[in-house]
Amino acid sequence: MEGGNSPSVQLQQLPLATAAVSVQPHTDSFSYKENLIGALLAIFGHLVSSIALNLQKYSHIRLAGSKDPRAYFRTKTWWSGLMLLVLGELAVFSSYAFAPLSLIVPLSAVSVVASAIIGIIFIKEKWKPKEFLRRYVLSFVGCGLAVVGTYLLVTFGPNSHEKMTAENITRHLVSWPFLLYMLVEIIVFCLLLYFYKERNANYIVIILLLVALLGSMTVVTVKAVAGMMLVSIQGSLQLDSPIFYIMLVCMIATAIYQATFLAQASQLYDSAQISSIGYILSTTAAISAGATFYLDFMGEDVLHICMFALGCLIAFLGVFLITRNRRKPVPFEPYISMDAMPGMQNMHDKGVAVQPDLKASFSYGALENNESMPEIYSPATLPIVQEQHGPRGLSAPPYRVLEHSKKE
């Protein structure tokens, strides 16, 4: 038709900035191949890393339960775990060079599923069948949900692909969506850091939000570094560009600060809570960063985006159920320290006789009812002796312990 424009003419009329982004359509078989390679590398890496961490943990436990005087780094088991850990992290690092960021990040649920399965298989306690099912039914359900969510993520993940050249990364870095996202993230990060440091708001959500915000920048820079290295291996050198080293420094810095906040969270809260809440917050922040920086969902239809979001929600629920079933250590405190009670120090200074706390038994201020305890576990009788002054004005001891037998 004379009045209409052909598709080739319409493509030529696109703005230069839009045409410069070489995003392949999701119908291209090569994009599916890259997605599959990246997903398989990520799954393999997380699986191997989980096995490696459990091997190192097994090495520590075996040394602690034996009379072996060797240090942990002198055992073959620990070194085998370290080598597997390095291999797994290299596989995860390489996966970012092939698949979109929003597809790789949620696949870290594989490590949670693998750790749960390894813990169930190699458990040392003996349980009856009914107790075993009652204890681990949530873990089995969570593993199933995590597998279903992972399948949906791989199937309906974004298929936007572009070469990670220095020019493309620089253009994304100065684009207005990412600049706006960075402005909001910096403001939120500063507010959270203020409440955490100045207001002593040591809530787990605040600490893990700090980790998630730093982690979103970590994965953005990891994909840039891995992608530029892959393009350099393919023949187009990108390692001589300043943006490569800027991304490399940002990757190392954000990873270090992220590990610092994680270490602080592990000192205050249980590892199961950190695993579940941290996975949900970090994945959400990383997907948001990938969508604004690399435009992962550009050109995707609504059905693919909704199914991908459904896969994320199912994976979140699976990880939550897996980590919720873990035992939480309950510290046992049979007594209240005497010097921690108000006024006790003043009473000691005035020479008033009080019953001391016997840390070897259930003594004053016991938190549990001791009426049913045998007599042998009852505290010793400490009669109070009146204060007497000698000829030189020296005071006698405020109390004395009388030896008594069980019959007395």
Side-chain angles (χ1 to χ4, degrees), residues 100-334:
L101 175 63
S102 301
L103 173 61
I104 299 300
V105 172
L107 295 180
S108 58
V110 175
S111 61
V112 181
V113 176
S115 298
I117 295 175
I118 292 173
I120 293 175
I121 293 176
F122 293 98
I123 187 172
K124 297 182 179 180
E125 299 177 352
K126 296 181 179 180
W127 298 88
K128 297 179 180 179
K130 294 183 179 180
E131 294 178 352
F132 184 85
L133 291 177
R134 183 170 61 251
R135 175 172 171 78
Y136 291 104
V137 63
L138 290 180
S139 294
F140 287 120
V141 174
C143 290
L145 290 176
V147 171
V148 173
T150 302
Y151 173 77
L152 293 177
L153 291 173
V154 176
T155 305
F156 297 98
N159 287 280
S160 59
H161 293 272
E162 64 173 327
K163 290 186 176 181
M164 292 291 100
T165 61
E167 181 181 358
N168 288 338
I169 293 175
T170 304
R171 184 175 61 255
H172 287 309
L173 191 62
V174 297
S175 62
W176 70 265
F178 181 70
L179 292 179
L180 180 60
Y181 175 82
M182 280 296 299
L183 178 62
V184 174
E185 182 170 304
I186 290 174
I187 293 175
V188 174
F189 184 85
C190 292
L191 289 175
L192 292 174
L193 191 62
Y194 169 76
F195 284 106
Y196 176 61
K197 294 293 185 180
E198 300 297 332
R199 299 293 184 178
N200 294 324
N202 297 327
Y203 301 107
I204 186 172
V205 176
I206 292 180
I207 302 176
L208 294 182
L209 271 176
L210 293 171
V211 174
L213 294 177
L214 289 172
S216 64
M217 292 298 100
T218 302
V219 293
V220 166
T221 53
V222 165
K223 181 172 177 58
V225 172
M228 294 178 73
M229 292 178 66
L230 179 61
V231 173
S232 300
I233 293 174
Q234 292 176 348
S236 179
L237 184 63
Q238 303 293 324
L239 304 184
D240 57 348
S241 176
I243 192 65
F244 174 79
Y245 298 98
I246 292 175
M247 288 292 182
L248 182 63
V249 171
C250 292
M251 179 185 71
I252 297 174
T254 53
I256 292 175
Y257 283 106
Q258 185 181 359
T260 302
F261 284 113
L262 275 177
Q264 295 175 5
S266 63
Q267 295 177 358
L268 299 174
Y269 297 97
D270 184 67
S271 59
Q273 293 179 339
I274 297 175
S275 299
S276 59
I277 300 176
Y279 171 75
I280 296 173
L281 295 179
S282 298
T283 302
T284 305
I287 291 175
S288 302
T292 54
F293 189 87
Y294 294 108
L295 305 177
D296 286 342
F297 296 96
M298 176 180 288
E300 297 290 335
D301 53 17
V302 179
L303 177 62
H304 277 73
I305 296 177
C306 292
M307 293 303 294
F308 179 81
L310 178 62
C312 290
L313 292 177
I314 294 176
F316 290 166
L317 180 59
V319 172
F320 175 76
L321 291 179
I322 293 172
T323 55
R324 182 178 177 82
N325 193 43
R326 295 181 181 178
R327 283 183 172 181
K328 299 179 181 180
V330 180
F332 178 67
E333 298 179 358

